[in-house]
Amino acid sequence: MRSYLFTSESVSEGHPDKVSDLISDTVVDLMINKDPYSRVACETLVTTNKVVIAGEYRLDTDKSKLFREIDDKIRLAIKKIGYEQSGFHWEKIKIENYLHNQSNDIAIGVDQNENKEEGAGDQGLMFGYAVNETESYMPAPIYYSHLILKEMSNIRHSGKADFLGPDSKSQLSVEYDESKPIGAKKIVVSTQHEENYSQKDLKEFVISVVKKVLPKEWHYNSDDILVNPTGRFVIGGPDGDTGLTGRKIIVDTYGGSAQHGGGAFSGKDPTKVDRSAAYMTRYLAKNVVASNLAAKCSIQIAYAIGVSEPLSLYVNTFGTGKVDDQIIEACIRRNVDLSPKGIRNKLKLNNPIYVPTSSYGHFGRKPDELLNGSFTWEKTDLVDMFKKNI
């Protein structure tokens, strides 16, 4: 190993792609709230005062009533972000809804019956990852990139920074000594702001947030913090750039520190293994590292549409494992049900828990059992199982 820099980025809930993810997951939660076993795959496009949703669903309900509810939920979600701008306003947007019923060919392959177990909702490969760089077992660059924007968002929503707009981005280049993060070389924050707001005051505000969020022992200096490098960021969000569901999959996962299977999460019900199996592999990898079996761990899993059992399982601890990777892999196979149904049941995924995942990452968050049961895949309740069986 050597000293090196690694860079990750994050985007706020007001970024146009994240607005799309939020809308898609709002539709998922609405349908699951009506029927835990409903099916939905919803894609969203947002642009200047327009929202377009399309995809398929399966839910036994009145279509016209459902579409009115979807319309109301979308407007409320956009209002909560804070979009009341001339080019994108929760009251003024035009919503076009092209959702249609799910194909019977897909349903037949996935549904459980007397002759077969429930199958995966699609083919694909998924990766989960964990590393002991942070308390959340997330890579430091993406973890702190999220925290910078989350802190700015919290201050904006509190009313203490009304000069901020909803759209912002961060990018953090972390310096490593061997495998330990020790500082930041370059920190980039671009944030939407009010017309004529002082860039000097804006930079001072951002620097104060960065200093609050980054570890006290890290070395960096204020000259390494770049704020709005273009000098102006007034027009933003969907009015400044078109947004699409699933276009920030690296932001959603590990910031590029780990491999990615290519499938997006938002807008998909948990029978889609793009989502549920990615959550399960993160859960397994995090528990491996939390069990002190390795300093970092990547787990890959693959499925075929309509088939219950995974086609493959691969564990890689990058030479940091205290036991052979194949021993960890065999332990998982013996003790964890990796069928789509088993994953949904273990992680309690048939619940309306997905809106909170749509911004600031699907991983590295605290399990929220009291509010709505989200982020169950961040628990470390398999530690005893690993210690007992390995």
Side-chain angles (χ1 to χ4, degrees):
M1 296 295 293
R2 57 183 174 82
S3 297
Y4 61 95
L5 295 177
F6 193 87
T7 302
S8 294
E9 71 161 348
S10 180
V11 297
S12 71
E13 77 265 29
H15 185 281
D17 293 330
K18 286 284 116 189
V19 174
S20 295
D21 285 342
L22 172 63
I23 291 170
S24 292
D25 277 336
T26 295
V27 174
V28 172
D29 278 359
L30 173 62
M31 294 196 182
I32 290 180
N33 193 53
K34 291 180 175 296
D35 179 358
Y37 301 100
S38 59
R39 301 277 170 79
V40 57
C42 177
E43 309 291 347
T44 301
L45 177 148
V46 295
T47 186
T48 303
N49 275 330
K50 180 173 284 189
V51 172
V52 180
I53 62 173
E56 59 277 351
Y57 71 96
R58 187 175 73 180
L59 179 65
D60 186 15
T61 189
D62 178 75
K63 181 177 179 179
S64 60
K65 181 179 179 182
L66 174 65
F67 279 23
R68 287 195 298 271
E69 287 186 70
I70 289 173
D71 188 295
D72 291 342
K73 291 288 187 180
I74 289 174
R75 294 182 188 278
L76 180 59
I78 293 171
K79 182 180 181 181
K80 285 183 177 180
I81 295 174
Y83 272 116
E84 296 185 343
Q85 302 170 359
S86 60
F88 198 72
H89 194 295
W90 63 274
E91 285 184 311
K92 298 176 182 178
I93 56 170
K94 179 183 178 182
I95 300 174
E96 298 181 18
N97 188 333
Y98 298 103
L99 293 172
H100 59 82
N101 288 327
Q102 183 187 51
S103 163
N104 287 331
D105 291 346
I106 295 176
I108 290 172
V110 176
D111 288 346
Q112 179 177 344
N113 58 49
E114 60 183 15
N115 297 316
K116 66 180 286 293
E117 293 292 324
E118 176 185 303
D122 200 354
Q123 73 174 46
L125 53 121
M126 303 84 209
F127 287 94
Y129 182 72
V131 63
N132 62 3
E133 294 176 8
T134 60
E135 62 181 10
S136 66
Y137 298 98
M138 286 290 287
I142 188 67
Y143 178 73
Y144 290 109
S145 292
H146 286 323
L147 284 189
I148 290 170
L149 296 188
K150 183 62 175 173
E151 179 65 17
M152 289 172 56
S153 175
N154 289 340
I155 297 172
R156 177 174 66 86
H157 284 294
S158 74
K160 296 178 181 179
D162 56 4
F163 53 87
L164 292 177
D167 191 2
S168 59
K169 302 177 73 172
S170 64
Q171 184 172 286
L172 193 63
S173 297
V174 173
E175 182 180 6
Y176 283 80
D177 182 13
E178 299 294 335
S179 59
K180 181 181 179 181
I182 60 172
K185 282 293 186 182
K186 291 295 180 182
I187 303 160
V188 184
V189 178
S190 297
T191 180
Q192 192 180 15
H193 58 85
E194 284 189 339
E195 184 86 34
N196 300 321
Y197 190 77
S198 165
Q199 292 295 319
K200 179 178 179 292
D201 291 343
L202 184 63
K203 182 171 183 176
E204 289 179 356
F205 168 77
V206 171
I207 289 174
S208 71
V209 171
V210 170
K211 288 182 175 179
K212 178 180 179 181
V213 167
L214 295 188
K216 303 301 182 186
E217 66 274 15
W218 276 21
H219 61 78
Y220 60 92
N221 60 65
S222 296
D223 291 339
D224 286 330
I225 303 175
L226 307 178
V227 179
N228 285 5
T230 64
R232 176 183 168 89
F233 188 2
V234 175
I235 299 174
D239 187 32
D241 192 11
T242 300
L244 295 170
T245 300
R247 198 155 58 176
K248 287 292 178 285
I249 56 177
I250 299 302
V251 171
D252 286 342
T253 52
Y254 308 101
S257 293
Q259 294 165 295
H260 195 289
F265 306 150
S266 290
K268 299 175 181 178
D269 74 73
T271 66
K272 280 72 171 177
V273 284
D274 275 344
R275 181 167 221 163
S276 56
Y279 290 172
M280 175 55 86
T281 51
R282 160 64 179 175
Y283 175 60
L284 294 171
K286 183 175 182 178
N287 276 270
V288 168
V289 178
S291 300
N292 202 29
L293 291 171
K296 60 180 176 179
C297 178
S298 172
I299 296 180
Q300 187 206 50
I301 198 167
Y303 292 88
I305 188 169
V307 179
S308 176
E309 291 302 312
L311 306 183
S312 66
L313 174 68
Y314 170 62
V315 174
N316 183 3
T317 60
F318 306 93
T320 70
K322 295 185 177 179
V323 299
D324 191 276
D325 293 349
Q326 292 182 337
I327 293 176
I328 299 174
E329 182 181 307
C331 178
I332 292 172
R333 289 185 180 276
R334 288 194 309 269
N335 294 282
V336 182
D337 184 352
L338 296 177
S339 68
K341 182 178 181 180
I343 292 172
R344 289 192 294 104
N345 289 340
K346 176 63 178 177
L347 300 181
K348 298 179 174 60
L349 298 182
N350 286 110
N351 288 295
I353 59 174
Y354 298 105
V355 162
T357 70
S358 63
S359 57
Y360 308 110
H362 291 245
F363 309 120
R365 313 281 287 276
K366 293 182 179 179
D368 189 355
E369 298 177 5
L370 295 178
L371 181 61
N372 63 358
S374 57
F375 301 104
T376 55
W377 49 94
E378 291 297 318
K379 294 181 179 180
T380 53
D381 53 4
L382 290 182
V383 169
D384 288 342
M385 183 277 289
F386 278 120
K387 289 183 176 180
K388 179 180 178 181
N389 290 279
I390 293 180

